[in-house]
Amino acid sequence: MPTIVVDVMPKAELLDPQGKAVAGALTRLGVDRFSGVRIGKRFELTVEGEVDDEVLATARRIAAEVLSNDVIEDVVGVEVVE
Amino acid sequence: MPTIVVDVMPKAELLDPQGKAVAGALTRLGVDRFSGVRIGKRFELTVEGEVDDEVLATARRIAAEVLSNDVIEDVVGVEVVE
């Protein structure tokens, strides 16, 4: 069945303490090639039936209204996979 | 600066209570085009300098060893963006 992937990330101007903790852990492990880590969410929505414009519009709407909090997060992607 | 995105999802055979809760909320909101929701994580690693094979190999290694728990999660993507 087709799947729509919605990616949500913390807004760039906000601190991301979880990401900071991972970045700190990487440094302690001797991994120094990454200067920052940010952690967001990936939603996989299984579509019942075919993906048409209406389903995509619905996915975009729920991405903005249900799956993310627009005070602190941005929807960075809504795409159909397979 | 280039970014490597690592996507981690709960293993298909495991329950995803958070995803189930979102799927239930969508149904209650009258959205019925999606038969399932699963929620994973999206990591954005900012790369210091250029992305070469070594950095990619390091990203794949930390994706498997640090960013995911292979008992309950799968790394579903490691890719360079921008």
Side-chain angles (χ1 to χ4, degrees):
Chain A
M1 267 187 292
T3 300
I4 295 178
V5 172
V6 175
D7 289 314
V8 174
M9 294 299 293
K11 278 185 190 292
E13 64 268 31
L14 294 186
L15 284 176
D16 172 11
Q18 205 185 356
K20 281 255 185 298
V22 170
L26 292 181
T27 304
R28 285 194 299 281
L29 290 168
V31 177
D32 59 1
R33 297 297 302 273
F34 305 110
S35 58
V37 179
R38 295 184 74 80
I39 307 180
K41 281 178 251 177
R42 173 188 163 98
F43 298 84
E44 291 185 355
L45 310 173
T46 307
V47 178
E48 199 64 58
E50 266 182 60
V51 176
D52 50 28
D53 287 352
E54 191 206 324
V55 173
L56 256 181
T58 304
R60 288 209 184 86
R61 184 170 61 81
I62 65 165
E65 294 177 3
V66 181
L67 304 180
S68 67
N69 174 351
D70 70 359
V71 176
I72 56 171
E73 293 169 326
D74 287 320
V75 176
V76 298
V78 177
E79 61 183 30
V80 183
V81 296
E82 176 238 358
Chain B
M1 266 185 292
T3 300
I4 294 178
V5 172
V6 175
D7 289 314
V8 173
M9 294 299 294
K11 277 183 189 293
E13 63 268 30
L14 295 186
L15 286 175
D16 172 11
Q18 205 184 356
K20 281 255 184 299
V22 170
L26 292 182
T27 304
R28 286 193 299 280
L29 290 169
V31 177
D32 59 1
R33 297 296 302 272
F34 305 109
S35 58
V37 179
R38 294 184 75 79
I39 307 179
K41 282 177 252 176
R42 173 188 163 99
F43 298 83
E44 291 186 356
L45 310 172
T46 307
V47 177
E48 198 64 57
E50 267 181 59
V51 176
D52 50 28
D53 287 351
E54 191 205 325
V55 172
L56 257 181
T58 304
R60 289 209 183 85
R61 185 170 60 80
I62 66 166
E65 293 177 5
V66 181
L67 305 181
S68 67
N69 174 352
D70 69 359
V71 176
I72 56 170
E73 293 169 326
D74 287 322
V75 176
V76 298
V78 176
E79 62 184 28
V80 183
V81 296
E82 176 239 359

